[in-house]
Each structure stands twice: as C-alpha cells, then as structure tokens.
Short mmCIF file of all heavy atoms in Angstrom, two decimals:
data_model
loop_
_atom_site.label_atom_id
_atom_site.label_comp_id
_atom_site.label_asym_id
_atom_site.label_seq_id
_atom_site.Cartn_x
_atom_site.Cartn_y
_atom_site.Cartn_z
N MET A 1 40.79 103.14 49.42
CA MET A 1 41.35 102.80 50.71
C MET A 1 40.22 102.28 51.62
O MET A 1 39.10 102.78 51.56
CB MET A 1 42.02 104.01 51.29
CG MET A 1 42.98 103.68 52.42
SD MET A 1 43.77 105.14 53.06
CE MET A 1 45.42 104.85 52.50
N ASP A 2 40.53 101.31 52.38
CA ASP A 2 39.57 100.67 53.26
C ASP A 2 39.24 101.57 54.46
O ASP A 2 40.12 102.28 54.99
CB ASP A 2 40.16 99.37 53.75
CG ASP A 2 39.21 98.51 54.51
OD1 ASP A 2 37.99 98.68 54.33
OD2 ASP A 2 39.68 97.70 55.33
N ILE A 3 38.00 101.51 54.93
CA ILE A 3 37.57 102.36 56.07
C ILE A 3 38.30 101.96 57.35
O ILE A 3 38.59 102.79 58.21
CB ILE A 3 36.03 102.29 56.26
CG1 ILE A 3 35.58 103.32 57.24
CG2 ILE A 3 35.60 100.94 56.66
CD1 ILE A 3 35.60 104.74 56.78
N GLY A 4 38.66 100.67 57.50
CA GLY A 4 39.41 100.21 58.64
C GLY A 4 40.82 100.80 58.70
O GLY A 4 41.33 101.14 59.77
N ILE A 5 41.44 100.92 57.54
CA ILE A 5 42.78 101.50 57.48
C ILE A 5 42.71 102.95 57.83
O ILE A 5 43.60 103.50 58.52
CB ILE A 5 43.40 101.22 56.11
CG1 ILE A 5 43.67 99.72 55.89
CG2 ILE A 5 44.70 101.99 55.94
CD1 ILE A 5 44.13 99.34 54.52
N ILE A 6 41.70 103.65 57.30
CA ILE A 6 41.55 105.09 57.64
C ILE A 6 41.28 105.27 59.09
O ILE A 6 41.87 106.18 59.71
CB ILE A 6 40.39 105.64 56.77
CG1 ILE A 6 40.79 105.64 55.29
CG2 ILE A 6 40.06 107.06 57.23
CD1 ILE A 6 39.68 105.99 54.37
N ALA A 7 40.46 104.40 59.70
CA ALA A 7 40.21 104.48 61.15
C ALA A 7 41.48 104.23 61.93
O ALA A 7 41.75 104.92 62.94
CB ALA A 7 39.13 103.49 61.55
N ALA A 8 42.29 103.29 61.52
CA ALA A 8 43.54 103.02 62.22
C ALA A 8 44.50 104.19 62.15
O ALA A 8 45.13 104.55 63.15
CB ALA A 8 44.22 101.75 61.61
N ILE A 9 44.58 104.81 61.00
CA ILE A 9 45.45 106.00 60.85
C ILE A 9 44.95 107.15 61.72
O ILE A 9 45.72 107.89 62.32
CB ILE A 9 45.58 106.38 59.37
CG1 ILE A 9 46.37 105.29 58.63
CG2 ILE A 9 46.27 107.75 59.19
CD1 ILE A 9 46.39 105.45 57.12
N ALA A 10 43.61 107.28 61.79
CA ALA A 10 43.03 108.32 62.62
C ALA A 10 43.36 108.07 64.11
O ALA A 10 43.69 109.04 64.84
CB ALA A 10 41.52 108.36 62.45
N LEU A 11 43.26 106.84 64.54
CA LEU A 11 43.64 106.52 65.91
C LEU A 11 45.11 106.82 66.22
O LEU A 11 45.42 107.33 67.29
CB LEU A 11 43.35 105.04 66.23
CG LEU A 11 41.90 104.66 66.42
CD1 LEU A 11 41.76 103.15 66.49
CD2 LEU A 11 41.37 105.30 67.71
N LEU A 12 45.94 106.54 65.28
CA LEU A 12 47.39 106.83 65.44
C LEU A 12 47.63 108.34 65.48
O LEU A 12 48.49 108.79 66.25
CB LEU A 12 48.20 106.16 64.32
CG LEU A 12 48.21 104.63 64.38
CD1 LEU A 12 48.94 104.08 63.17
CD2 LEU A 12 48.82 104.12 65.67
N LEU A 13 46.89 109.10 64.70
CA LEU A 13 47.05 110.57 64.77
C LEU A 13 46.55 111.11 66.08
O LEU A 13 47.17 112.03 66.65
CB LEU A 13 46.31 111.20 63.59
CG LEU A 13 46.95 111.03 62.22
CD1 LEU A 13 46.05 111.58 61.14
CD2 LEU A 13 48.29 111.69 62.20
N ILE A 14 45.44 110.59 66.56
CA ILE A 14 44.91 111.03 67.87
C ILE A 14 45.93 110.71 68.96
O ILE A 14 46.19 111.53 69.86
CB ILE A 14 43.55 110.38 68.18
CG1 ILE A 14 42.50 110.92 67.24
CG2 ILE A 14 43.13 110.59 69.63
CD1 ILE A 14 41.20 110.17 67.28
N TRP A 15 46.55 109.52 68.88
CA TRP A 15 47.55 109.14 69.88
C TRP A 15 48.74 110.10 69.81
O TRP A 15 49.26 110.52 70.84
CB TRP A 15 48.02 107.70 69.67
CG TRP A 15 49.24 107.42 70.47
CD1 TRP A 15 49.27 107.12 71.81
CD2 TRP A 15 50.60 107.46 70.03
NE1 TRP A 15 50.59 106.95 72.20
CE2 TRP A 15 51.40 107.18 71.15
CE3 TRP A 15 51.20 107.74 68.81
CZ2 TRP A 15 52.80 107.12 71.06
CZ3 TRP A 15 52.58 107.68 68.72
CH2 TRP A 15 53.35 107.40 69.81
N ALA A 16 49.20 110.41 68.61
CA ALA A 16 50.37 111.24 68.43
C ALA A 16 50.13 112.62 68.99
O ALA A 16 50.96 113.18 69.70
CB ALA A 16 50.76 111.36 66.95
N ILE A 17 48.94 113.18 68.73
CA ILE A 17 48.66 114.51 69.23
C ILE A 17 48.51 114.47 70.75
O ILE A 17 49.05 115.32 71.50
CB ILE A 17 47.35 115.06 68.57
CG1 ILE A 17 47.62 115.33 67.13
CG2 ILE A 17 46.86 116.29 69.29
CD1 ILE A 17 46.37 115.61 66.28
N GLY A 18 47.77 113.47 71.26
CA GLY A 18 47.55 113.41 72.71
C GLY A 18 48.78 113.08 73.52
O GLY A 18 49.00 113.65 74.57
N ALA A 19 49.59 112.15 73.07
CA ALA A 19 50.73 111.73 73.84
C ALA A 19 51.96 112.61 73.65
O ALA A 19 52.69 112.85 74.61
CB ALA A 19 51.08 110.28 73.49
N LEU A 20 52.19 113.02 72.45
CA LEU A 20 53.48 113.73 72.17
C LEU A 20 53.34 115.25 72.35
O LEU A 20 54.29 115.91 72.79
CB LEU A 20 53.97 113.38 70.79
CG LEU A 20 54.20 111.88 70.54
CD1 LEU A 20 54.58 111.63 69.11
CD2 LEU A 20 55.24 111.34 71.51
N LEU A 21 52.23 115.80 71.96
CA LEU A 21 52.10 117.25 72.01
C LEU A 21 51.44 117.76 73.32
O LEU A 21 51.80 118.79 73.85
CB LEU A 21 51.29 117.79 70.82
CG LEU A 21 51.96 117.52 69.45
CD1 LEU A 21 51.04 118.04 68.34
CD2 LEU A 21 53.32 118.14 69.36
N MET A 22 50.44 117.02 73.80
CA MET A 22 49.69 117.49 74.99
C MET A 22 50.04 116.76 76.26
O MET A 22 49.47 117.05 77.30
CB MET A 22 48.19 117.28 74.73
CG MET A 22 47.63 118.12 73.63
SD MET A 22 45.87 117.91 73.62
CE MET A 22 45.51 118.17 71.91
N GLU A 23 50.95 115.79 76.20
CA GLU A 23 51.36 115.00 77.35
C GLU A 23 50.07 114.44 78.04
O GLU A 23 49.86 114.68 79.22
CB GLU A 23 52.17 115.83 78.32
CG GLU A 23 53.48 116.31 77.74
CD GLU A 23 54.29 117.11 78.73
OE1 GLU A 23 53.96 117.10 79.93
OE2 GLU A 23 55.23 117.77 78.25
N GLY A 24 49.33 113.70 77.29
CA GLY A 24 48.08 113.12 77.78
C GLY A 24 48.25 112.06 78.85
O GLY A 24 49.40 111.63 79.13
N PRO A 25 47.17 111.59 79.44
CA PRO A 25 47.24 110.57 80.49
C PRO A 25 47.66 109.21 79.92
O PRO A 25 47.74 109.04 78.70
CB PRO A 25 45.84 110.55 81.02
CG PRO A 25 44.98 111.03 79.92
CD PRO A 25 45.82 112.03 79.17
N GLY A 26 47.86 108.26 80.79
CA GLY A 26 48.35 106.97 80.41
C GLY A 26 47.40 106.19 79.50
O GLY A 26 47.86 105.41 78.62
N TRP A 27 46.09 106.37 79.64
CA TRP A 27 45.13 105.62 78.84
C TRP A 27 45.17 106.03 77.41
O TRP A 27 44.67 105.30 76.51
CB TRP A 27 43.72 105.75 79.42
CG TRP A 27 43.19 107.14 79.46
CD1 TRP A 27 43.24 107.97 80.52
CD2 TRP A 27 42.58 107.86 78.38
NE1 TRP A 27 42.68 109.18 80.19
CE2 TRP A 27 42.24 109.14 78.90
CE3 TRP A 27 42.25 107.59 77.08
CZ2 TRP A 27 41.66 110.11 78.09
CZ3 TRP A 27 41.67 108.55 76.29
CH2 TRP A 27 41.37 109.80 76.83
N ILE A 28 45.80 107.11 77.08
CA ILE A 28 45.85 107.57 75.67
C ILE A 28 46.69 106.63 74.83
O ILE A 28 46.55 106.51 73.64
CB ILE A 28 46.41 109.02 75.58
CG1 ILE A 28 46.08 109.67 74.26
CG2 ILE A 28 47.89 109.09 75.74
CD1 ILE A 28 44.80 110.37 74.21
N HIS A 29 47.55 105.82 75.51
CA HIS A 29 48.40 104.89 74.79
C HIS A 29 47.60 103.69 74.29
O HIS A 29 48.09 102.92 73.44
CB HIS A 29 49.56 104.42 75.64
CG HIS A 29 50.46 105.58 76.02
ND1 HIS A 29 51.16 106.28 75.11
CD2 HIS A 29 50.74 106.13 77.24
CE1 HIS A 29 51.86 107.24 75.72
NE2 HIS A 29 51.61 107.17 77.01
N LEU A 30 46.36 103.52 74.74
CA LEU A 30 45.49 102.51 74.17
C LEU A 30 45.20 102.81 72.69
O LEU A 30 44.99 101.88 71.91
CB LEU A 30 44.19 102.41 74.97
CG LEU A 30 44.26 101.76 76.31
CD1 LEU A 30 42.94 101.86 77.03
CD2 LEU A 30 44.69 100.31 76.22
N PHE A 31 45.16 104.09 72.30
CA PHE A 31 44.96 104.43 70.95
C PHE A 31 46.11 103.92 70.06
O PHE A 31 45.88 103.48 68.95
CB PHE A 31 44.84 105.94 70.75
CG PHE A 31 43.54 106.55 71.27
CD1 PHE A 31 43.56 107.66 72.06
CD2 PHE A 31 42.35 105.93 70.97
CE1 PHE A 31 42.36 108.20 72.54
CE2 PHE A 31 41.16 106.48 71.45
CZ PHE A 31 41.18 107.58 72.25
N LEU A 32 47.31 103.92 70.59
CA LEU A 32 48.49 103.39 69.85
C LEU A 32 48.28 101.86 69.67
O LEU A 32 48.44 101.36 68.56
CB LEU A 32 49.76 103.67 70.59
CG LEU A 32 51.03 103.05 70.00
CD1 LEU A 32 51.32 103.60 68.63
CD2 LEU A 32 52.20 103.28 70.92
N THR A 33 47.97 101.16 70.73
CA THR A 33 47.79 99.71 70.67
C THR A 33 46.67 99.32 69.72
O THR A 33 46.85 98.46 68.87
CB THR A 33 47.52 99.17 72.07
OG1 THR A 33 48.56 99.57 72.95
CG2 THR A 33 47.39 97.66 72.04
N VAL A 34 45.52 99.96 69.85
CA VAL A 34 44.38 99.63 69.02
C VAL A 34 44.62 100.04 67.57
O VAL A 34 44.31 99.31 66.62
CB VAL A 34 43.09 100.28 69.55
CG1 VAL A 34 41.94 100.09 68.59
CG2 VAL A 34 42.76 99.74 70.93
N GLY A 35 45.25 101.19 67.37
CA GLY A 35 45.52 101.66 66.01
C GLY A 35 46.48 100.75 65.25
O GLY A 35 46.23 100.40 64.10
N VAL A 36 47.56 100.32 65.88
CA VAL A 36 48.52 99.47 65.21
C VAL A 36 47.90 98.11 64.97
O VAL A 36 48.04 97.50 63.89
CB VAL A 36 49.84 99.37 66.03
CG1 VAL A 36 50.73 98.26 65.49
CG2 VAL A 36 50.54 100.70 66.02
N SER A 37 47.16 97.57 65.96
CA SER A 37 46.52 96.26 65.80
C SER A 37 45.50 96.30 64.68
O SER A 37 45.46 95.37 63.86
CB SER A 37 45.84 95.85 67.10
OG SER A 37 46.78 95.72 68.13
N LEU A 38 44.69 97.32 64.62
CA LEU A 38 43.66 97.46 63.58
C LEU A 38 44.32 97.59 62.18
O LEU A 38 43.87 96.98 61.20
CB LEU A 38 42.77 98.62 63.85
CG LEU A 38 41.64 98.88 62.87
CD1 LEU A 38 40.69 97.69 62.79
CD2 LEU A 38 40.88 100.17 63.20
N LEU A 39 45.41 98.35 62.13
CA LEU A 39 46.09 98.55 60.84
C LEU A 39 46.66 97.23 60.33
O LEU A 39 46.47 96.87 59.16
CB LEU A 39 47.21 99.57 61.01
CG LEU A 39 47.95 99.99 59.76
CD1 LEU A 39 47.02 100.62 58.74
CD2 LEU A 39 49.10 100.91 60.09
N ILE A 40 47.33 96.49 61.18
CA ILE A 40 47.88 95.21 60.79
C ILE A 40 46.77 94.26 60.40
O ILE A 40 46.83 93.56 59.35
CB ILE A 40 48.73 94.59 61.92
CG1 ILE A 40 49.98 95.41 62.10
CG2 ILE A 40 49.09 93.13 61.64
CD1 ILE A 40 50.79 95.06 63.36
N TYR A 41 45.69 94.18 61.18
CA TYR A 41 44.58 93.29 60.86
C TYR A 41 43.95 93.63 59.52
O TYR A 41 43.68 92.76 58.71
CB TYR A 41 43.51 93.36 61.98
CG TYR A 41 42.26 92.59 61.65
CD1 TYR A 41 42.24 91.23 61.69
CD2 TYR A 41 41.10 93.28 61.25
CE1 TYR A 41 41.09 90.52 61.37
CE2 TYR A 41 39.97 92.57 60.94
CZ TYR A 41 39.96 91.18 61.03
OH TYR A 41 38.83 90.49 60.67
N ARG A 42 43.68 94.90 59.24
CA ARG A 42 43.05 95.28 58.00
C ARG A 42 43.95 95.05 56.80
O ARG A 42 43.46 94.70 55.74
CB ARG A 42 42.61 96.73 58.04
CG ARG A 42 41.51 97.02 59.04
CD ARG A 42 40.30 96.13 58.91
NE ARG A 42 39.70 96.29 57.59
CZ ARG A 42 38.73 95.51 57.10
NH1 ARG A 42 38.28 94.52 57.77
NH2 ARG A 42 38.24 95.73 55.90
N ILE A 43 45.25 95.24 56.94
CA ILE A 43 46.15 94.99 55.80
C ILE A 43 46.17 93.49 55.49
O ILE A 43 46.12 93.10 54.35
CB ILE A 43 47.56 95.54 56.11
CG1 ILE A 43 47.55 97.06 56.07
CG2 ILE A 43 48.59 94.97 55.11
CD1 ILE A 43 48.84 97.69 56.52
N VAL A 44 46.25 92.67 56.52
CA VAL A 44 46.33 91.23 56.32
C VAL A 44 44.97 90.72 55.75
O VAL A 44 44.95 89.93 54.82
CB VAL A 44 46.65 90.51 57.63
CG1 VAL A 44 46.46 88.99 57.49
CG2 VAL A 44 48.08 90.80 58.04
N SER A 45 43.86 91.15 56.29
CA SER A 45 42.56 90.71 55.78
C SER A 45 42.27 91.27 54.41
O SER A 45 41.61 90.61 53.59
CB SER A 45 41.46 91.06 56.75
OG SER A 45 41.27 92.44 56.80
N HIS A 46 42.77 92.44 54.10
CA HIS A 46 42.59 93.04 52.79
C HIS A 46 43.30 92.23 51.72
O HIS A 46 42.78 91.96 50.64
CB HIS A 46 43.04 94.47 52.76
CG HIS A 46 42.78 95.20 51.50
ND1 HIS A 46 41.54 95.53 51.08
CD2 HIS A 46 43.63 95.68 50.54
CE1 HIS A 46 41.59 96.17 49.93
NE2 HIS A 46 42.85 96.25 49.58
N ASP A 47 44.54 91.77 52.04
CA ASP A 47 45.30 90.95 51.10
C ASP A 47 44.66 89.60 50.91
O ASP A 47 44.65 89.06 49.79
CB ASP A 47 46.75 90.82 51.54
CG ASP A 47 47.52 92.10 51.32
OD1 ASP A 47 47.09 92.96 50.55
OD2 ASP A 47 48.60 92.23 51.94
N SER A 48 44.16 89.00 51.97
CA SER A 48 43.60 87.68 51.84
C SER A 48 42.25 87.71 51.14
O SER A 48 41.81 86.75 50.54
CB SER A 48 43.45 87.02 53.21
OG SER A 48 42.52 87.72 54.01
N ALA A 49 41.53 88.83 51.21
CA ALA A 49 40.25 88.97 50.55
C ALA A 49 40.44 89.03 49.02
O ALA A 49 39.55 88.62 48.28
CB ALA A 49 39.52 90.18 51.05
N LYS A 50 41.53 89.57 48.58
CA LYS A 50 41.80 89.63 47.17
C LYS A 50 42.16 88.28 46.58
O LYS A 50 42.09 88.12 45.37
CB LYS A 50 42.96 90.59 46.88
CG LYS A 50 42.64 92.03 47.00
CD LYS A 50 43.84 92.89 46.63
CE LYS A 50 43.55 94.35 46.68
NZ LYS A 50 44.74 95.15 46.37
N GLY A 51 42.52 87.38 47.42
CA GLY A 51 42.89 86.04 46.93
C GLY A 51 44.34 85.99 46.44
O GLY A 51 44.63 85.27 45.50
N THR A 52 45.16 86.75 47.03
CA THR A 52 46.57 86.77 46.63
C THR A 52 47.29 85.59 47.27
O THR A 52 47.78 85.65 48.42
CB THR A 52 47.27 88.07 47.04
OG1 THR A 52 47.11 88.25 48.46
CG2 THR A 52 46.67 89.26 46.30
N THR A 53 47.29 84.49 46.55
CA THR A 53 48.02 83.31 47.02
C THR A 53 49.06 82.98 46.00
O THR A 53 48.87 83.18 44.79
CB THR A 53 47.07 82.10 47.21
OG1 THR A 53 46.42 81.85 45.97
CG2 THR A 53 46.05 82.40 48.28
N THR A 54 50.12 82.46 46.45
CA THR A 54 51.19 82.04 45.52
C THR A 54 51.07 80.55 45.29
O THR A 54 50.86 79.80 46.21
CB THR A 54 52.57 82.38 46.12
OG1 THR A 54 52.70 81.73 47.37
CG2 THR A 54 52.74 83.89 46.32
N LYS A 55 51.17 80.20 44.06
CA LYS A 55 51.10 78.79 43.69
C LYS A 55 52.48 78.26 43.48
O LYS A 55 53.35 78.92 42.84
CB LYS A 55 50.28 78.61 42.45
CG LYS A 55 48.81 79.02 42.62
CD LYS A 55 48.05 78.74 41.35
CE LYS A 55 46.58 79.15 41.57
NZ LYS A 55 45.79 78.92 40.37
N SER A 56 52.69 77.09 43.99
CA SER A 56 53.99 76.46 43.79
C SER A 56 54.08 75.88 42.39
O SER A 56 53.06 75.51 41.80
CB SER A 56 54.24 75.40 44.84
OG SER A 56 53.26 74.40 44.72
N PRO A 57 55.27 75.80 41.84
CA PRO A 57 55.36 75.24 40.48
C PRO A 57 55.04 73.75 40.52
O PRO A 57 55.17 73.10 41.54
CB PRO A 57 56.81 75.47 40.10
CG PRO A 57 57.54 75.73 41.39
CD PRO A 57 56.51 76.27 42.37
N PRO A 58 54.56 73.24 39.38
CA PRO A 58 54.20 71.82 39.36
C PRO A 58 55.40 70.94 39.60
O PRO A 58 56.52 71.25 39.14
CB PRO A 58 53.63 71.62 37.95
CG PRO A 58 54.12 72.77 37.15
CD PRO A 58 54.36 73.86 38.10
N ARG A 59 55.18 69.82 40.27
CA ARG A 59 56.24 68.90 40.59
C ARG A 59 56.45 67.92 39.41
O ARG A 59 55.48 67.48 38.81
CB ARG A 59 55.97 68.10 41.83
CG ARG A 59 55.82 69.05 43.03
CD ARG A 59 55.48 68.28 44.23
NE ARG A 59 56.75 67.76 44.82
CZ ARG A 59 56.81 67.12 45.96
NH1 ARG A 59 55.72 66.93 46.64
NH2 ARG A 59 57.94 66.74 46.41
N ASN A 60 57.65 67.63 39.05
CA ASN A 60 57.96 66.73 37.96
C ASN A 60 58.10 65.32 38.47
O ASN A 60 58.55 64.94 39.39
CB ASN A 60 59.22 67.15 37.23
CG ASN A 60 58.94 68.44 36.49
OD1 ASN A 60 57.82 68.74 36.12
ND2 ASN A 60 59.96 69.21 36.27
#
C-alpha cells in the first residue's frame, strides 16, 4: 500500500474522531477535504504509474 494512501486514511480517521466524537472546531473539517483529495490523487497517480492504459482494437 502506498504511503500517500495510508496518510489519507489517517487524515480521515483524525477527522472522524475530531468532528464526530469530540465535536471539534470548524478547522477540523480541513482534514476531511485534504484527506479525500489526497486519497483521490494517490489512487489516480498510482494507476497511471503502473501504465494501465487500454488499447483500442486495430481499425480495419
């Protein structure tokens, strides 16, 4: 598993604990925004790094 994905999941867990259980301040929601953005970015960049491209069939 990629370190970026692990960091994103950790940010989401911190947000969940702070916002839902402790009723944290408003800035705690930045963890949600950064965590989701980082998770999406790392998944997309991880797939493109592997070279997973689809080739179209040859044209006749």
Side-chain angles (χ1 to χ4, degrees):
M1 197 179 250
D2 186 25
I3 190 73
I5 294 174
I6 294 171
I9 293 172
L11 284 171
L12 293 174
L13 287 174
I14 292 169
W15 168 80
I17 292 169
L20 302 176
L21 297 179
M22 295 186 208
E23 297 179 14
W27 59 265
I28 198 90
H29 298 297
L30 286 174
F31 289 133
L32 175 65
T33 303
V34 173
V36 170
S37 300
L38 181 62
L39 185 62
I40 292 170
Y41 173 74
R42 292 308 298 172
I43 288 173
V44 169
S45 67
H46 185 69
D47 286 344
S48 64
K50 286 184 177 178
T52 55
T53 58
T54 58
K55 295 182 179 179
S56 61
R59 298 178 85 174
N60 293 332

